[in-house]
Amino acid sequence: MPPETALLNAAGVDAGYGTMQVLWGVDLDVKPGETVLLLGANGAGKTTFLKTLVGLIETRQGHITLGGTDVTRMRSSDRMRLGMTYMSELAVFPDLSIEENLKVGAQALGHANPGARAEELYGIFPVLRDKRRNPASSLSGGQRKMLGIAKALAAEPKLLVMDEPSAGLSPLFVKEVIRVLTDLRGHGLSLLIAEQNIGFLEVATRVFVLEGGRIRFSGTVAEMTDNEALRRAYFGLK
Ligand code: ATP
């Protein structure tokens, strides 16, 4: 697709650490309202790629555009201002209360009324309302993940970039995260989710498979499941 119709477009991205190159010519795009899944095993380069997209790691080659603006050399905070929020595995401040975490998330982009935004988010995550005055450290792993998602949403991003939302969660909580993401998708938010858990195919409109720092496959979920080699590698099926 032409980059100008994409919300996010990465073209030919190389990145790495010191003398070690991790990403090799990665192409990936997210259209408005899409949920794109970036699948890959441990060490495939998913985190490195997400950090490059959001500006925490330098792009060595290639280009990244957000809403048509070239952000390749832009600071991370400026990319956020353009509507891209990153949710890492360590997404919350454990010593702050639930409400303070949400306000910090809202203030990151200078939200006019962080308190009102927190109220809206309690509507999506009722469990957080009940515990609003408690420190984030008192939450269970699953609840903490919900708070991480809520905190990232507090800034009202156009695109939420998520690194392994299922990490450390029981299958029951993974289902709950998938339910919340399905809900958010219905509200027009665009999502880019890096995962190893194929359960997330349920929410995806398109899939990219990263192997050894290179995109091995991109297409719809149906196209992926039609691909015999990928089916065998990711679903353990013949
Ligand atoms: P995981 O699911 O384990 O997080 P991943 O697909 O996100 O895997 P990355 O974390 O991006 O993979 O790692 C890709 C490669 O980069 C690995 O070989 C890893 O050892 C290396 N790497 C990651 N972070 C650093 C770092 N800070 N310094 C040097 N090498 C790193």
Side-chain angles (χ1 to χ4, degrees):
M1 67 176 298
E4 61 271 17
T5 57
L7 176 56
L8 174 78
N9 193 71
V13 168
D14 288 0
Y17 306 91
T19 56
M20 185 172 86
Q21 185 166 342
V22 172
L23 301 176
W24 305 78
V26 174
D27 294 330
L28 179 146
D29 64 288
V30 181
K31 295 171 207 154
E34 263 199 315
T35 298
V36 169
L37 187 65
L38 179 64
L39 269 182
N42 267 333
K46 302 182 299 296
T47 300
T48 305
F49 181 60
L50 297 192
K51 285 187 172 172
T52 307
L53 287 178
V54 300
L56 298 173
I57 291 177
E58 186 197 6
T59 302
R60 292 183 177 174
Q61 286 286 330
H63 288 279
I64 299 166
T65 61
L66 186 61
T69 303
D70 190 327
V71 298
T72 316
R73 303 277 158 241
M74 206 180 260
R75 274 192 309 202
S76 191
S77 53
D78 292 333
R79 296 185 203 200
M80 258 188 98
R81 244 166 245 123
L82 288 176
M84 176 163 61
T85 301
Y86 177 55
M87 190 194 118
S88 71
E89 283 184 58
L90 307 165
V92 305
F93 297 114
D95 297 335
L96 296 186
S97 72
I98 278 88
E99 184 136 323
E100 284 163 344
N101 264 285
L102 295 180
K103 286 183 175 171
V104 167
Q107 276 159 353
L109 282 190
H111 197 286
N113 193 341
R117 183 65 186 142
E119 274 304 324
E120 283 170 18
L121 291 162
Y122 294 142
I124 308 174
F125 305 92
V127 66
L128 299 181
R129 186 199 300 276
D130 301 340
K131 305 188 177 224
R132 61 204 292 169
R133 310 264 173 251
N134 300 354
S137 58
S138 68
L139 297 176
S140 72
Q143 291 168 342
R144 218 188 274 205
K145 193 70 66 168
M146 291 301 164
L147 177 58
I149 297 172
K151 177 169 166 268
L153 288 175
E156 298 188 276
K158 293 185 191 124
L159 172 67
L160 178 55
V161 176
M162 310 177 92
D163 198 0
E164 296 209 36
S166 79
L169 293 187
S170 68
L172 198 69
F173 267 119
V174 170
K175 277 204 178 129
E176 179 63 4
V177 170
I178 289 175
R179 185 194 64 74
V180 165
L181 295 181
T182 309
D183 236 40
L184 295 174
R185 208 181 80 172
H187 286 84
L189 177 73
S190 304
L191 296 165
L192 172 59
I193 307 169
E195 263 297 342
Q196 310 188 35
N197 186 326
I198 56 167
F200 282 76
L201 284 169
E202 199 182 304
V203 277
T205 42
R206 273 188 310 140
V207 191
F208 290 77
V209 175
L210 193 63
E211 278 183 14
R214 291 182 165 84
I215 295 292
R216 171 165 173 207
F217 167 86
S218 70
T220 62
V221 176
E223 283 162 353
M224 183 187 163
T225 47
D226 278 352
N227 180 311
E228 203 184 316
L230 291 173
R231 209 165 59 223
R232 230 180 278 138
Y234 286 88
F235 302 95
L237 300 172
K238 297 229 158 119

